[in-house]
Amino acid sequence: MQNFNNYIIHIETLGCRLNQIESESIATFFSEVGFSVQMEGIAANAEVSTDVLLCIVNTCTVTQKSEQKARRIIRLLLKKFPNALILVTGCYAQLNSIEINSIDSRIITLGGQVKSRIKLIPQRLCLLLENEFWNPFALKQIINDDFVLPPQVKPNFPENSFELSTSSFIAHSRASLKIQDGCNNNCSYCAIHMARGFSVSLPVEEAVKRVQDLEQKGVQEVVITTVNIAQYRSEYNGQVYNFSKLLKLLLESTSNIMFRISSLYPEIVTDEFCNVIKDKRVCPHFHISVQSGSDKILKLMNRTYEKQAVIDACNKIRSVKDNPFIACDIITGFPGETEEDFQATLDLCNVCQFAWIHVFPFSERKGTPAVLLKNKVSQDVARKRSAILTDFAINQKIKYIESQKGMIKTAILETLRKPQYVYHCVTDNFIHCLINYPKNAQELPPGTKVQIEIESALVESITKGGEIEAKSKLV
């Protein structure tokens, strides 16, 4: 086989952890046939290069800002990599391919629902390089001819959704497993169900096999990822498995690997669920999709629960997990949100004592029912409310870290920052920690499980996104 190490595939990923998993899988497909792969994360940090043949941008469409960021990255890639074809995929590409393609002739889009077809491109690229001089438009023609076709499965269902899977991770020290994609809900503000299609689930036996493969490779932790975890359904041995039943089986089928759940809906926190997460191998870290603390706004959002369900979910989780890290999502400035509604959200966050809040000012998504709602809230008001909640969240995060002082926690090492010789790691309860490490000691690889003692919150480490790290030491 010809050596393609001198040729680079550059991958940029925006948005959710599902996109991150899919990008890792795409990176593996290209590296397996000999290409060099770089996953910069931020195009601005990449060096100008004529060796980059293909850039893949895995996009998000949650907000207008995420689409603007995608366009900015695409333009940067066009400038920095003059020989490259820019392949744009993901949710934004699914919904707005015409807008993206109009940016430049070196761009091609492959909608998110047929993203799995990228798996076929590495071999085609190899053949192209073996038979003729590199030309980005030749690859564009091949992709247009062979891959840019209507979905071959049910309309509005993601095609081969679980094809993009890997047990090797280039940019992440913790493994992830996608078990569900798409969504059958129709939340009034959300475009994701339109972009990703209806719900599909990874078969139970395949989920078990993939987790066992990860454990056999020495992976210490796997993050279970979904679009809507409440919609996981798969038949196995004559039974219909929901997520709780699947997680129980995954625990029974493995012995050491830890499980982290990426996102929850309140309705999934049942007695059955709580009996399963009692297991010490389920990380005490839970992220609940909340969006508002006002029942009026939740109804306008077309959510499937009321605020009491959120309170009940938090209480149930805390009844079986000791001081877990519980976070949530909140949208501010949704149409019709009054000061009283916003206060109800603040009150809910107080009652639930969330350790962190991901706050998003409302962003209109074309084609969603929320666009037609009256009583719009100005962006200025939405941003001010977002700032209030973010300040609250920062204080909550500091308070949570301080509650952990002196405790011994399990953590997964991520990166060693040089020349400071400081490790970054994440504990089982999702505290981002810094550990001073002796320069003369043997370096530990990313993904290593360690025991650390939490010392204090590094308040000075607050980033623009509000992340706060903790000082800690190895024990």
Side-chain angles (χ1 to χ4, degrees):
M1 183 176 68
Q2 187 172 332
N3 188 342
F4 297 114
N5 281 338
N6 292 331
Y7 298 122
I8 300 170
I9 309 301
H10 181 100
I11 301 174
E12 294 281 343
T13 307
L14 294 89
C16 65
R17 195 164 186 95
L18 288 184
N19 274 5
Q20 295 171 27
I21 301 169
E22 291 158 354
S23 291
E24 288 276 13
S25 303
I26 291 165
T28 300
F29 299 147
F30 281 97
S31 62
E32 283 178 345
V33 296
F35 290 101
S36 295
V37 178
Q38 60 186 29
M39 301 179 74
E40 291 287 344
I42 302 174
N45 294 337
E47 297 293 328
V48 175
S49 174
T50 56
D51 294 328
V52 176
L53 304 187
L54 176 64
C55 298
I56 298 171
V57 186
N58 200 354
T59 61
C60 173
T61 191
V62 166
T63 63
Q64 293 175 14
K65 187 178 288 186
S66 62
E67 294 182 353
Q68 290 167 359
K69 185 176 181 180
R71 291 192 295 272
R72 186 169 69 250
I73 287 174
I74 290 166
R75 291 188 177 99
L76 268 172
L77 296 174
L78 287 165
K79 183 178 179 181
K80 293 204 169 194
F81 306 133
N83 285 346
L85 178 68
I86 316 298
L87 191 160
V88 185
T89 189
C91 291
Y92 180 31
Q94 179 70 33
L95 297 180
N96 291 287
S97 61
I98 294 174
E99 180 178 65
I100 296 167
N101 285 325
S102 68
I103 296 173
D104 192 273
S105 60
R106 273 197 291 132
I107 294 172
I108 188 168
T109 55
L110 200 58
Q113 290 185 24
V114 292
K115 190 186 296 184
S116 60
R117 297 180 189 183
I118 294 175
K119 185 176 182 178
L120 304 173
I121 293 177
Q123 291 293 345
R124 303 295 179 88
L125 180 55
C126 290
L127 289 173
L128 179 64
L129 293 171
E130 287 171 354
N131 292 306
E132 59 182 277
F133 292 111
W134 169 246
N135 179 347
F137 295 101
L139 180 59
K140 181 175 181 178
Q141 189 62 52
I142 289 171
I143 296 172
N144 264 325
D145 289 347
D146 294 351
F147 304 136
V148 183
L149 303 166
Q152 301 301 302
V153 291
K154 299 176 186 176
N156 299 319
F157 278 86
E159 180 183 282
N160 298 327
S161 184
F162 305 104
E163 191 78 18
L164 297 184
S165 175
T166 181
S167 58
S168 302
F169 296 83
I170 295 173
H172 296 84
S173 56
R174 291 175 295 155
S176 294
L177 175 67
K178 180 171 78 168
I179 64 163
Q180 185 273 339
D181 199 355
C183 185
N184 297 333
N185 290 352
N186 187 25
C187 296
S188 63
Y189 57 85
C190 185
I192 299 305
H193 66 284
M194 295 188 290
R196 285 193 171 263
F198 293 116
S199 178
V200 292
S201 299
L202 182 69
V204 170
E205 57 270 35
E206 183 62 25
V208 171
K209 178 182 180 299
R210 291 185 184 187
V211 169
Q212 288 175 334
D213 287 347
L214 289 171
E215 185 172 61
Q216 288 169 10
K217 284 194 168 186
V219 172
Q220 300 293 326
E221 181 185 308
V222 59
V223 184
I224 304 295
T225 60
T226 63
V227 172
N228 187 332
I229 200 168
Q231 293 176 3
Y232 180 85
R233 294 291 185 277
S234 178
E235 191 170 327
Y236 179 64
N237 284 345
Q239 293 185 56
V240 176
Y241 274 62
N242 59 13
F243 174 69
S244 297
K245 283 186 172 64
L246 174 66
L247 182 57
K248 184 174 185 290
L249 182 61
L250 293 176
L251 287 162
E252 293 169 349
S253 304
T254 55
S255 55
N256 297 308
I257 195 167
M258 298 283 290
F259 294 90
R260 190 182 299 272
I261 304 167
S262 62
S263 184
L264 294 174
Y265 278 59
E267 58 262 42
I268 201 176
V269 185
T270 61
D271 291 342
E272 178 187 35
F273 174 82
C274 290
N275 283 331
V276 177
I277 66 169
K278 285 179 183 177
D279 194 294
K280 291 182 179 179
R281 287 198 287 130
V282 178
C283 292
H285 164 220
F286 303 92
H287 186 98
I288 302 177
S289 182
V290 174
Q291 312 309 350
S292 177
S294 163
D295 286 339
K296 182 193 85 178
I297 297 300
L298 287 172
K299 187 174 182 180
L300 287 171
M301 289 177 168
N302 202 25
R303 300 296 280 179
T304 56
Y305 52 85
E306 294 184 339
K307 66 180 179 183
Q308 188 59 47
V310 178
I311 297 169
D312 292 344
C314 292
N315 289 338
K316 284 183 176 181
I317 290 170
R318 289 193 173 102
S319 72
V320 294
K321 287 291 191 186
D322 182 26
N323 195 15
F325 185 104
I326 303 180
C328 73
D329 293 324
I330 295 291
I331 295 172
T332 61
F334 190 81
E337 184 188 63
T338 63
E339 285 298 330
E340 290 76 16
D341 295 318
F342 178 64
Q343 186 60 50
T345 296
L346 274 174
D347 292 343
L348 177 69
C349 293
N350 252 316
V351 169
C352 293
Q353 284 295 293
F354 292 118
W356 183 248
I357 304 168
H358 290 277
V359 191
F360 304 90
F362 173 68
S363 179
E364 284 192 350
R365 304 284 72 215
K366 184 179 178 182
T368 62
V371 173
L372 304 176
L373 291 176
K374 298 179 181 179
N375 301 318
K376 306 289 187 186
V377 177
S378 72
Q379 279 296 298
D380 185 51
V381 169
R383 282 192 290 267
K384 285 179 180 176
R385 291 174 182 172
S386 177
I388 291 169
L389 270 176
T390 299
D391 287 343
F392 174 84
I394 288 171
N395 288 328
Q396 288 294 105
K397 185 72 170 288
I398 293 170
K399 187 164 70 172
Y400 184 80
I401 293 172
E402 293 297 323
S403 77
Q404 303 289 300
K405 281 176 66 172
M407 292 190 176
I408 308 301
K409 306 300 297 183
T410 299
I412 302 295
L413 294 182
E414 294 201 334
T415 54
L416 177 60
R417 301 176 184 175
K418 295 181 180 180
Q420 302 93 337
Y421 269 77
V422 173
Y423 267 109
H424 178 265
C425 68
V426 179
T427 65
D428 57 355
N429 60 339
F430 205 62
I431 299 177
H432 291 252
C433 296
L434 298 183
I435 310 166
N436 289 317
Y437 195 71
K439 291 185 179 181
N440 58 350
Q442 182 178 355
E443 290 186 20
L444 300 171
T448 300
K449 183 189 288 186
V450 295
Q451 297 292 304
I452 64 168
E453 181 181 338
I454 306 292
E455 295 185 309
S456 63
L458 292 169
V459 179
E460 65 274 17
S461 73
I462 297 175
T463 64
K464 184 178 179 182
E467 186 58 72
I468 303 163
E469 294 170 322
K471 181 182 178 184
S472 60
K473 62 182 179 183
L474 288 170
V475 294

